[in-house]
Amino acid sequence: MRVDVAHGAELHAEIVDLVPPWTVDPPAILMSHGVSTTADIFNGWLPHLIPHARIVRFDSRGFGRSTIPTGRHPWSIDLWADDMLAVADAFAVERFHIVAESAAGAAALRLASLDGGARVLSVTTCSAPYRGGDLARVAEWRSRLARDGIAAWSERMMGERFHDDQLAPAARDWFARQQAGGSAEVLADVAEMLVGVDLSADLAAIRVPVLVMAADGSPYVTVDIARAMQRLIPGAELRIIPHARHGIPFSHAEECARSCVAFLRRNGFVGG
């Protein structure tokens, strides 16, 4: 499905609804990925989520099968959050949980801070930053892309997302192709936007359950950053994934999905 969103863009989106028909009023989970990937990075989560919830997911603006803007575009974390709402509206989903990774996780937290629980029921983040000042490596992306090109950027990024022993060769090749096939212009613009984000004051306003998942070895969102974010969000839970780098939604899909379901169960959103 194509979803019309602000500034003339379209998003590729889909809903997966295989919840048993005897389940009364099943919840919805909106899944949003970060830079230079697609919604398909969450495929490994689906077997664990679909018995409990309808899944709504989309390719983020600028990536995958969604519109790739050119020239000046009004990138912002609020625009990303608005895209989440637009996708939910397109599928007539009034209230929903969010699972979001990396930059999308920051947008999800921003949305939750503004929403007050009206539509967002919970947030699960994976490798999500909350303060651009922590992202020195991201601040370098524009110059690296201009100097070396997106293929070289992607090759280095694969090592920052995954340990060498974590992916089957076919999965690694697929991910690398998605990452290297994107727009260097979009990537540089989104990186610049992300470096300017600071949610420090927003996090205290979140009034819904939050699960912060982070890797023990991400060069972008360190354990210390994840712990600081947990402390700023009232009642947030923290799950550190061992032997992992930044790409935990893909490399540790089953572990992340099971942690998410357990979190939703603890908070009374899904059954046993």
Side-chain angles (χ1 to χ4, degrees), residues 42-153:
F42 291 116
N43 283 4
W45 293 55
L46 297 185
H48 309 283
L49 298 185
I50 58 178
H52 306 285
R54 296 171 293 151
I55 309 302
V56 177
R57 59 184 188 161
F58 66 100
D59 287 357
S60 299
R61 180 188 298 253
F63 303 104
R65 295 151 289 192
S66 293
T67 295
I68 313 299
T70 58
R72 296 177 63 84
H73 194 73
W75 296 101
S76 73
I77 207 72
D78 286 335
L79 183 62
W80 205 317
D82 288 345
D83 285 350
M84 293 179 182
L85 291 175
V87 170
D89 288 344
F91 291 104
V93 173
E94 180 60 29
R95 304 189 75 199
F96 50 90
H97 306 272
I98 302 178
V99 171
E101 71 111 7
S102 198
L109 293 169
R110 171 68 170 164
L111 177 57
S113 75
L114 298 172
D115 177 74
R119 299 191 66 180
V120 178
L121 296 169
S122 77
V123 178
T124 296
T125 67
C126 300
S127 301
Y130 73 97
R131 188 172 57 189
D134 297 323
L135 304 175
R137 288 173 181 259
V138 175
E140 300 169 354
W141 284 2
R142 185 178 293 279
S143 60
R144 282 173 46 195
L145 286 162
R147 182 184 66 242
D148 304 327
I150 196 167
W153 172 87

Side-chain angles (χ1 to χ4, degrees), residues 131-246:
R131 188 172 57 189
D134 297 323
L135 304 175
R137 288 173 181 259
V138 175
E140 300 169 354
W141 284 2
R142 185 178 293 279
S143 60
R144 282 173 46 195
L145 286 162
R147 182 184 66 242
D148 304 327
I150 196 167
W153 172 87
S154 177
E155 184 176 356
R156 178 175 174 178
M157 191 69 181
M158 288 299 291
E160 295 176 334
R161 289 194 195 265
F162 310 113
H163 289 298
D164 289 343
D165 62 348
Q166 285 181 326
L167 299 179
R172 177 176 287 275
D173 289 347
W174 174 84
F175 196 102
R177 287 196 304 273
Q178 309 310 304
Q179 188 170 255
S183 163
E185 178 185 11
V186 166
L187 180 57
D189 287 347
V190 172
E192 190 171 275
M193 176 272 291
L194 188 59
V195 169
V197 167
D198 190 343
L199 301 178
S200 300
D202 299 81
L203 299 185
I206 295 175
R207 295 292 181 265
V208 297
V210 174
L211 173 62
V212 175
M213 287 197 283
D216 66 349
S218 170
Y220 293 96
V221 180
T222 65
V223 171
D224 286 345
I225 291 171
R227 286 176 175 154
M229 186 162 71
Q230 179 207 14
R231 288 194 295 268
L232 290 169
I233 302 170
E237 300 182 29
L238 177 64
R239 173 81 168 90
I240 301 299
I241 307 295
H243 187 55
R245 306 215 79 188
H246 194 69

